[in-house]
Amino acid sequence: MRWEQQRVKPPVGGAPELPLALPEPPPRSGGRAGLRLPEPVPIEAGTEDAYAIEVHAKSIINRVPGESQVPFRWTVNPYRGCGHACRYCFARRTHTYLDLDAGHDFDSKIVVKVNAGTLLRKELAGPRWAGEAIAMGTNTDPYQRAEGRYRLMREIIAELRDRANPFSILTKGTLILRDVDLIVQAAEVAPVSVAVSVGSVDERLWRAVEPGAPSPQRRLDVVRRFADAGIGCSVLMAPILPGLSDAPEQIDATVRALAEAGAANVTPLLLHLRPGAREWFRAWLQREHPKLVPSYARLYREGSYLPQSYQRDVLALVADAKRRHGIGSSRQQAFRDVGVGAARSAAEEEGVRQLSLL
């Protein structure tokens, strides 16, 4: 990403350095970030010093590499970085591509592609675009708090609706309710799927690991609203955290709450810790739950994924709870089961991939 070509130009008179809340860094060799920015735009987020970094993107529809083993080929991500500040977010490492760090910078320096809607309109109308399904929420949340200021998703969904283009959305953000009307309209002309991520209904755990995200109860309200609107809302029960949300009674409480909210289906996904997220989560664990550090070291000693035996045990608990609470008793459309060849949800594909790697 070449920031000097893509960033919004600073006002006449120069622009201040972006405050990083860090000691003065050493000079970067060939750095890409170009941290002289226009006046930072403050946004409400999970950290005290969050700023939006406005850029003009060169493209907005991204092709997914074939080896990714996910059930979609194309994505749209109007933001980079995420104010939800989830300790475990797998996308943290992507901020290092911009010469920002995978920890606090990821939570507080939100890159906003201010021309996303205009660019999408152009690309959807291009002669090479075949109208394939587009997935959103695959990297960072499109309904994070910055969206309240920039309203990029409303324009994006309107463009997809007008082209009758299939799409899916995964979010923790309750701001998606602002766009229920457009999503309903889009679903009348093309396949559309919506999912909300709820790993646990434990309020204390939510405040600790997802400090910038809406509460689990508010996310359950999103599930209810979409059910009322006639669009089944799936739930990605993710991530399930070893030693923190994986006890049988905790899993049962979460699945019961999802069933009562009217979840169309529930797909569990256990915590995986890729580089970038691994270090940030480990530092938090050391501060808040030092007694769990040795068990995490054992569980993740082979890399980013949990042992197959552990995964099977926890997934069996979720499957039992789903049967008890009546989820999955009939065949329902899976999340992202839109478009040709997308027979399984992203979470299910990731689960299969996790097991295959171990």
Side-chain angles (χ1 to χ4, degrees):
M1 183 174 188
R2 298 185 180 277
W3 286 68
E4 286 305 311
Q5 282 99 26
Q6 292 181 261
R7 65 178 174 84
V8 175
K9 297 300 181 184
V12 177
E17 294 286 346
L18 179 69
L20 292 179
L22 293 170
E24 186 67 26
R28 301 178 189 267
S29 59
R32 296 171 296 237
L35 289 179
R36 292 200 64 85
L37 299 166
E39 187 70 34
V41 181
I43 55 174
E44 181 185 7
T47 58
E48 293 180 358
D49 58 345
Y51 290 98
I53 303 172
E54 299 177 352
V55 301
H56 288 295
K58 294 182 178 179
S59 63
I60 197 67
I61 301 178
N62 310 300
R63 188 185 183 99
V64 179
E67 64 271 16
S68 295
Q69 301 181 34
V70 291
F72 47 85
R73 296 179 60 197
W74 306 95
T75 65
V76 164
N77 293 294
Y79 301 98
R80 296 187 69 157
C82 187
H84 290 337
C86 300
R87 311 288 185 187
Y88 51 76
C89 183
F90 73 89
R92 287 185 173 276
R93 193 179 184 182
T94 62
H95 240 44
T96 64
Y97 306 156
L98 311 179
D99 283 349
L100 296 168
D101 71 56
H104 185 67
D105 286 354
F106 180 85
D107 299 338
S108 60
K109 309 301 177 275
I110 312 303
V111 178
V112 182
K113 302 173 186 178
V114 293
N115 61 332
T118 302
L119 203 51
L120 182 63
R121 182 185 311 117
K122 177 182 177 181
E123 293 181 9
L124 290 177
R128 295 183 179 180
W129 181 246
E132 294 185 62
I134 290 175
M136 292 174 282
T138 61
N139 195 20
T140 57
D141 200 320
Y143 283 105
Q144 58 179 288
R145 297 188 187 192
E147 172 63 13
R149 179 186 184 97
Y150 288 95
R151 301 175 65 86
L152 300 179
M153 282 299 291
R154 191 157 182 86
E155 188 174 359
I156 286 170
I157 294 171
E159 297 297 340
L160 292 167
R161 175 204 61 191
D162 292 347
R163 301 291 300 187
N165 202 104
F167 65 87
S168 64
I169 301 173
L170 171 63
T171 184
K172 290 186 178 79
T174 55
L175 192 56
I176 192 175
L177 294 176
R178 179 201 64 194
D179 297 338
V180 168
D181 59 331
L182 290 179
I183 294 171
V184 169
Q185 292 168 18
E188 293 174 351
V189 296
V192 170
S193 68
V194 175
V196 174
S197 176
V198 183
S200 169
V201 292
D202 184 323
E203 294 276 324
R204 182 179 297 181
L205 184 60
W206 153 64
R207 291 181 187 278
V209 299
E210 301 169 346
S215 73
Q217 293 304 320
R218 291 182 62 200
R219 286 179 245 169
L220 292 177
D221 289 339
V222 173
V223 177
R224 294 186 186 96
R225 284 283 300 277
F226 273 98
D228 292 343
I231 297 180
C233 185
S234 302
V235 172
L236 197 65
M237 188 174 166
I240 299 173
L241 306 174
L244 295 170
S245 62
D246 62 346
E249 62 274 14
Q250 292 173 307
I251 288 174
D252 187 77
T254 299
V255 174
R256 181 174 66 249
L258 300 179
E260 291 172 352
N265 56 67
V266 173
T267 302
L269 180 62
L270 282 76
L271 177 68
H272 58 282
L273 293 172
R274 300 178 189 174
R278 179 188 305 152
E279 295 80 5
W280 191 246
F281 187 84
R282 183 187 296 147
W284 172 82
L285 199 68
Q286 182 67 61
R287 292 193 308 271
E288 303 297 329
H289 299 279
K291 292 182 179 179
L292 289 177
V293 171
S295 64
Y296 270 74
R298 289 193 303 273
L299 286 169
Y300 291 94
R301 65 182 180 275
E302 299 296 332
S304 300
Y305 298 92
L306 288 159
Q308 183 176 355
S309 59
Y310 177 90
Q311 292 189 45
R312 285 177 174 167
D313 289 346
V314 176
L315 294 177
L317 290 174
V318 177
D320 289 343
K322 287 170 64 175
R323 283 191 291 270
R324 280 195 300 275
H325 299 293
I327 296 178
S329 56
S330 61
R331 189 186 185 283
Q332 296 153 319
Q333 183 187 35
F335 171 54
R336 290 196 172 129
D337 188 10
V338 296
V340 177
R344 287 186 291 196
S345 75
E348 289 167 335
E349 292 286 351
E350 180 69 9
V352 170
R353 191 170 76 87
Q354 286 187 30
L355 292 173
S356 69
L357 290 174
L358 294 165

